[in-house]
Amino acid sequence: MTKKFLLFLCFSFSKSPSHAFVFSKLPKERLSSIFELEESAGNVAEELRKKAEKLRKEVASFQQEKDETIQAEKKAAEQIKTEEEAIRQKYSAEIPIMKGDGSTVVERIDFPPRFKSEDSYIETFEAPLPLGLILGESEDMPGLTMVDEVSKGGNGVIAGVKVGDIVRACTACQTIMKAPTWQLMAGGIGMPETRRMMYNIDGRPFEEVMEAVSSNRMDPEGRPVILVVERKETVNEDDTDI
């Protein structure tokens, strides 16, 4: 009897769905625990999903702040560069510069401001001789040459030069002896040649400055004198009398 009962039980077990058998045999408390565990796992998964979403938003916000910071720094650097370029344009001038080989190239040259306040700027004028200007040494700024007076209707005032301008540079002519190498080797002294160059007036003796201005008469091409001046923005427009 015992063997037959065991065989019958095994046969019945093999014919029934495994899950149905398991759940049918589990007590209600055990089933409730399984369902609670599944529900808890679902809650954990949802919580993890929310945390992942929050993390993605934080990363995106951080990246956006980083991009905005980079853009702000780039904009600030461009603004500084623009301001520096504006200052350089204000205190510089394009003038002909003579090179060592005698050639002349137009370059932008900086002229740091000499007026204590920053309400000045650099201007360039061209005027033929005679200029009709009376220059003098500055009493307030030693070593600087100022325009003390201008002749009404003179070439200088027609070009735009005004009383109170600081003359920072001008063209000047110099005669040199130029000769081919073979002639120098033979003991020759060469031929005189007049070259025009820019003369920096800052800090030069006043007599030397006047000689430099007058030397433009030696220019074989008769070109106008180039004057680089620094001017206050509040210069009196009516100071044009002699």
Side-chain angles (χ1 to χ4, degrees):
M1 289 292 294
T2 303
K3 290 183 178 180
K4 291 181 180 180
F5 177 75
L6 291 173
L7 289 172
F8 175 77
L9 181 61
C10 292
F11 178 77
S12 299
F13 176 76
S14 64
K15 293 296 184 177
S16 302
S18 59
H19 65 277
F21 175 77
V22 172
F23 283 112
S24 64
K25 295 298 181 180
L26 291 174
K28 291 182 179 180
E29 294 79 4
R30 185 73 179 275
L31 287 173
S32 176
S33 298
I34 292 174
F35 290 138
E36 289 176 357
L37 183 62
E38 291 178 350
E39 183 178 359
S40 176
N43 292 338
V44 170
E46 179 64 18
E47 187 67 23
L48 290 174
R49 187 191 68 78
K50 291 181 178 179
K51 288 183 177 179
E53 181 65 22
K54 181 181 179 182
L55 182 60
R56 282 194 294 270
K57 290 181 179 179
E58 290 177 351
V59 171
S61 176
F62 173 77
Q63 186 62 42
Q64 182 178 358
E65 290 179 0
K66 181 180 178 181
D67 293 342
E68 290 175 353
T69 300
I70 293 174
Q71 289 297 323
E73 291 176 350
K74 183 179 179 181
K75 186 176 180 179
E78 291 175 350
Q79 181 66 24
I80 292 173
K81 185 178 180 181
T82 300
E83 291 175 357
E84 289 177 345
E85 181 61 24
I87 292 175
R88 183 164 192 259
Q89 291 289 332
K90 189 176 181 180
Y91 294 108
S92 65
E94 291 186 345
I95 54 179
I97 301 298
M98 188 177 69
K99 300 299 182 178
D101 59 358
S103 63
T104 301
V105 179
V106 175
E107 296 180 356
R108 180 165 288 277
I109 304 299
D110 296 325
F111 292 90
R114 293 293 180 251
F115 285 114
K116 293 181 181 180
S117 60
E118 296 184 356
D119 60 345
S120 63
Y121 57 95
I122 297 296
E123 279 275 19
T124 304
F125 301 102
E126 295 187 23
L129 293 173
L131 296 176
L133 305 176
I134 295 180
L135 306 180
E137 292 182 273
S138 172
E139 296 180 357
D140 300 327
M141 297 175 284
L144 297 181
T145 299
M146 307 282 295
V147 178
D148 288 340
E149 297 180 36
V150 295
S151 176
K152 184 176 291 186
N155 292 328
V157 72
I158 291 174
V161 181
K162 296 178 180 179
V163 170
D165 289 344
I166 300 177
V167 184
R168 303 294 304 275
C170 71
T171 49
C173 293
Q174 182 181 30
T175 300
I176 61 172
M177 300 304 293
K178 184 177 180 181
T181 304
W182 64 267
Q183 188 174 355
L184 293 175
M185 292 177 64
I189 62 173
M191 297 291 293
E193 179 180 303
T194 300
R195 291 182 176 179
R196 191 176 78 151
M197 65 197 72
M198 290 302 300
Y199 172 77
N200 184 8
I201 293 178
D202 286 0
R204 307 307 301 175
F206 183 70
E207 294 76 11
E208 187 178 306
V209 172
M210 297 305 295
E211 289 177 4
V213 175
S214 299
S215 70
N216 284 273
R217 299 181 184 279
M218 299 164 53
D219 186 1
E221 299 180 32
R223 290 167 289 187
V225 181
I226 298 176
L227 295 172
V228 179
V229 306
E230 180 179 349
R231 172 178 297 169
K232 279 190 174 182
E233 295 180 355
T234 56
V235 68
N236 190 343
E237 299 288 340
D238 297 326
D239 287 339
T240 58
D241 292 331
I242 280 189

